[in-house]
Amino acid sequence: MLIQTDSLEAIKAIQILKSAYSNSTIIRHIHHFLENVERWAIQYISKEDNEEADRMAKIAFNRGE
């Protein structure tokens, strides 16, 4: 599994497994999910590089795809 994000804070929180006790619900859910995944990696993508993916996701969401 590959997790891609433009947030360095999210990367740090996900990488620290002890943050499963985090106040962030999304971080707790990610940790719970990753407990069952044998191999995973996190990749940082700059906001500039992520703009095209965001645009495509919004188009697909608006079309209901």
Side-chain angles (χ1 to χ4, degrees), residues 27-55:
I27 298 298
R28 286 195 313 267
H29 284 285
I30 290 169
H31 279 259
H32 179 71
F33 180 76
L34 291 176
E35 288 175 354
N36 298 313
V37 177
E38 189 173 314
R39 292 177 23 177
W40 55 276
I42 301 174
Q43 181 180 27
Y44 173 75
I45 298 177
S46 70
K47 290 184 188 268
E48 294 79 22
D49 290 340
N50 200 27
E51 286 178 2
E52 183 65 17
D54 284 344
R55 186 182 69 73

Side-chain angles (χ1 to χ4, degrees), residues 4 11 16 25-26 28 35 49 54:
Q4 296 178 326
I11 290 174
I16 301 170
T25 302
I26 188 72
R28 286 195 313 267
E35 288 175 354
D49 290 340
D54 284 344

Side-chain angles (χ1 to χ4, degrees), residues 16-29:
I16 301 170
L17 294 178
K18 292 178 184 173
S19 71
Y21 302 105
S22 170
N23 290 332
S24 169
T25 302
I26 188 72
I27 298 298
R28 286 195 313 267
H29 284 285

